[in-house]
Amino acid sequence: MAGYRDLRAWQQSVALAKTIYDLTSTWPANEQFGLTSQTKRAVVSISANIAEGQGRGGVREFRRHVAIANGSLCELETHVHLACILEFISVEQEAGFTAESTEVARTIGGLLKHLDGRISQESEQKQLQRTGKSANDHRSPPNDEVI
């Protein structure tokens, strides 16, 4: 598997972090340790969890960290929506962010689906190993009558 920097989900989440840092730069100073901090932590967590999970080597561990990244993305979307309600950002700014975050969510969802498939394959292989069969043993034996 490619390194985490090659993963589209990581690349998109880093770009989203840049968007958030630009967006939060205009938020009120009294929110520096409140909503601004929470928003930045959430966005940084997305790419960091993808990188950490991929770096751990195991597919199940990677999947768990990508799921955490997905949760951080949902948290981030909530913070940005709240910022719009509080009028720290405009409705148009929220819409631009939402378009970008939706694309990141789609990519993370695809990565989760891919990892689920790999986990299923690993489970099937382990089951076959326990029963002493190979991956090809599940096929029906040849029918001698059809020669």
Side-chain angles (χ1 to χ4, degrees), residues 19-30:
T19 298
I20 288 298
Y21 271 74
D22 290 344
L23 200 61
T24 59
S25 68
T26 62
W27 291 10
N30 66 342

Side-chain angles (χ1 to χ4, degrees), residues 3-145:
Y4 69 88
R5 290 175 183 260
D6 298 319
L7 296 170
R8 189 172 40 205
W10 182 84
Q11 294 166 356
Q12 289 175 341
S13 62
V14 168
L16 187 63
K18 171 71 169 106
T19 298
I20 288 298
Y21 271 74
D22 290 344
L23 200 61
T24 59
S25 68
T26 62
W27 291 10
N30 66 342
E31 283 296 329
Q32 180 180 359
F33 301 108
L35 188 58
T36 303
S37 176
Q38 288 295 103
T39 302
K40 288 178 176 181
R41 286 174 192 255
V43 76
V44 168
S45 178
I46 300 166
S47 58
N49 271 293
I50 292 168
E52 181 179 354
Q54 198 279 334
R56 290 184 176 261
V59 177
R60 290 178 191 277
E61 192 71 13
F62 186 19
R63 197 231 180 264
R64 186 174 77 80
H65 279 78
V66 173
I68 293 169
N70 191 55
S72 294
L73 179 59
C74 293
E75 177 185 358
L76 173 64
E77 290 170 344
T78 301
H79 294 324
V80 172
H81 181 65
L82 184 56
C84 185
I85 291 170
L86 295 172
E87 299 180 352
F88 297 169
I89 61 172
S90 68
V91 171
E92 293 78 18
Q93 287 174 306
E94 182 185 19
F97 161 79
T98 300
E100 189 175 354
S101 70
T102 298
E103 189 58 35
V104 175
R106 281 190 191 115
T107 304
I108 288 174
L111 181 55
L112 285 168
K113 187 174 181 177
H114 170 76
L115 294 171
D116 285 342
R118 290 199 41 208
I119 290 168
S120 291
Q121 286 176 339
E122 284 182 1
S123 295
E124 289 173 12
Q125 289 172 350
K126 287 179 182 178
Q127 181 65 26
L128 289 171
Q129 288 172 351
R130 281 194 292 266
T131 60
K133 296 181 180 182
S134 75
N136 294 326
D137 287 347
H138 70 280
R139 288 187 273 156
S140 301
N143 186 343
D144 292 336
E145 297 176 4

